[in-house]
């Protein structure tokens, strides 16, 4: 069985003491590829170093919406574009998006999002989109961009929306990625969305070190090997064999991010 964890943050300090052991565990669990997200461009060299160390790691570059207030400038956009063009292992722009749960600078977040949308379109790269309490605004930003005749493709990462919101993003051509939250007992809305996403648009992730899935929920640090539990729960929700979920989400990740297809 092969799995791809499409969203990790293993550059965080919590992983530094035992990253080699963590890598051994993800390999033992069948994780053959990881996509390392980027919160802000200053992480880029550190993430490159991780990819040098673990060749199964590809990565993104972008600016998280909760960092926009402090860090966004036009020059920051130019930096993101230059970094994305500097390394062939860059497979996405992000994570970008909108977060109105923890911040209220809507206009500033939308401006930074639109700039990163334009970068992704120019470089023909997918987007990794963070969206929290902002589904309607996020969908409208993507619709407006498409109305301008520009291409939009990418993934709604760590998706927590309801089925109606999920349909908006499916209609826009986005992939939908589920994290450990889909395993939580009270996550009925997320689970309803997980049942309805077409198999060819489904992705899995850990968003580690956050959101450890059941049965590891009591652990403060999530890790890439735990993506197996996300896959297992999706198989349960959809009444499908685990191998079906593993194979299809791996193919989907390879397709979206331009990764080498390891499935015969």
């Amino acid at each position: 069985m092969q799995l791809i964890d499409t969203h990790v943050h293993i550059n965080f300090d919590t992983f530094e003491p035992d990253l080699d052991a963590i890598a051994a565990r993800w390999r033992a669990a069948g994780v053959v590829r990881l996509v390392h997200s980027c919160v802000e461009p200053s992480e880029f060299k550190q993430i490159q170093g991780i990819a040098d160390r673990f060749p199964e790691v590809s990565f993104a570059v972008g600016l998280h919406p909760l960092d926009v207030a402090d860090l966004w400038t036009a020059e920051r956009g130019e930096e993101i574009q230059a970094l994305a063009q500097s390394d062939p292992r860059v497979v996405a722009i992000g994570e970008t998006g909108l977060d109105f749960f923890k911040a209220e600078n809507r206009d500033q977040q939308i401006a930074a999002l639109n700039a990163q949308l334009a970068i992704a379109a120019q470089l023909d790269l997918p987007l990794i989109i963070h969206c929290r309490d902002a589904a309607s605004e996020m969908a409208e930003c993507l619709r407006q961009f498409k109305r301008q005749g520009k291409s939009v493709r990418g993934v709604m990462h760590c998706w927590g929306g309801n089925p109606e919101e999920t349909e908006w993003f499916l209609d826009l051509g986005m992939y939908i990625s589920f994290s450990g939250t889909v395993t939580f007992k009270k996550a009925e809305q997320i689970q309803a969305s997980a049942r309805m996403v077409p198999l060819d648009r489904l992705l899995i992730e850990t968003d580690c070190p956050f959101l450890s899935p059941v049965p590891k929920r009591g652990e403060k640090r999530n890790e890439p090997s735990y993506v197996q539990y996300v896959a297992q729960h999706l198989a349960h929700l959809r009444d499908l064999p685990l191998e079906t979920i593993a194979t299809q989400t791996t193919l989907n990740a390879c397709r979206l991010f331009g990764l080498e297809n390891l499935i015969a």
Side-chain angles (χ1 to χ4, degrees), residues 141-155:
C141 285
L142 296 180
R143 290 186 194 111
Q144 287 184 7
F145 200 74
K146 292 192 83 166
R147 283 196 288 267
Q148 297 169 17
K150 299 175 182 177
S151 63
V152 175
R153 61 191 180 96
V155 55

Side-chain angles (χ1 to χ4, degrees), residues 95-139:
E95 61 188 282
T96 181
L98 301 174
D99 191 320
F100 301 151
F101 178 76
K102 290 187 175 181
E104 297 180 355
N105 57 331
R106 296 186 176 222
D107 291 345
Q108 194 177 26
Q109 285 191 42
I110 288 171
L113 167 65
N114 285 334
Q116 291 176 87
L117 281 169
I119 293 167
Q122 183 174 343
L123 300 182
D124 192 26
L125 289 173
L127 292 142
I128 297 173
I129 293 180
H130 171 107
C131 181
R132 190 172 187 191
D133 283 9
S136 60
E137 294 91 341
M138 186 76 240

Side-chain angles (χ1 to χ4, degrees), residues 81-247:
Q81 180 162 342
L83 289 173
Q85 293 175 294
S86 73
D87 193 315
R89 295 172 296 181
V90 173
V91 296
I93 299 298
E95 61 188 282
T96 181
L98 301 174
D99 191 320
F100 301 151
F101 178 76
K102 290 187 175 181
E104 297 180 355
N105 57 331
R106 296 186 176 222
D107 291 345
Q108 194 177 26
Q109 285 191 42
I110 288 171
L113 167 65
N114 285 334
Q116 291 176 87
L117 281 169
I119 293 167
Q122 183 174 343
L123 300 182
D124 192 26
L125 289 173
L127 292 142
I128 297 173
I129 293 180
H130 171 107
C131 181
R132 190 172 187 191
D133 283 9
S136 60
E137 294 91 341
M138 186 76 240
E140 185 54 30
C141 285
L142 296 180
R143 290 186 194 111
Q144 287 184 7
F145 200 74
K146 292 192 83 166
R147 283 196 288 267
Q148 297 169 17
K150 299 175 182 177
S151 63
V152 175
R153 61 191 180 96
V155 55
M156 307 304 296
H157 111 84
C158 194
W159 182 239
N162 62 42
E164 180 184 7
E165 293 165 343
T166 303
E167 195 64 50
W168 297 345
F169 295 103
L170 290 171
D171 289 345
L172 284 159
M174 304 296 288
Y175 288 72
I176 311 293
S177 181
F178 293 95
S179 69
T181 58
V182 78
T183 71
F184 297 173
K185 185 176 180 180
K186 296 183 179 179
E188 295 178 0
Q189 173 178 284
I190 298 173
Q191 291 165 3
S193 292
R195 290 186 182 97
M196 63 169 284
V197 174
L199 266 179
D200 64 355
R201 300 278 202 88
L202 189 66
L203 294 174
I204 54 175
E205 62 173 91
T206 56
D207 198 15
C208 63
F210 313 109
L211 303 172
S212 295
V214 175
K216 301 290 187 178
R217 193 175 179 187
E219 298 185 11
K220 292 184 177 180
R221 187 185 72 178
N222 196 3
E223 63 175 73
S225 66
Y226 296 171
V227 78
Q228 64 185 300
Y229 302 117
V230 178
Q232 288 171 9
H233 200 75
L234 286 172
H236 169 72
L237 287 173
R238 298 175 68 114
D239 194 23
L240 289 170
L242 174 59
E243 188 66 37
T244 298
I245 294 294
T247 298

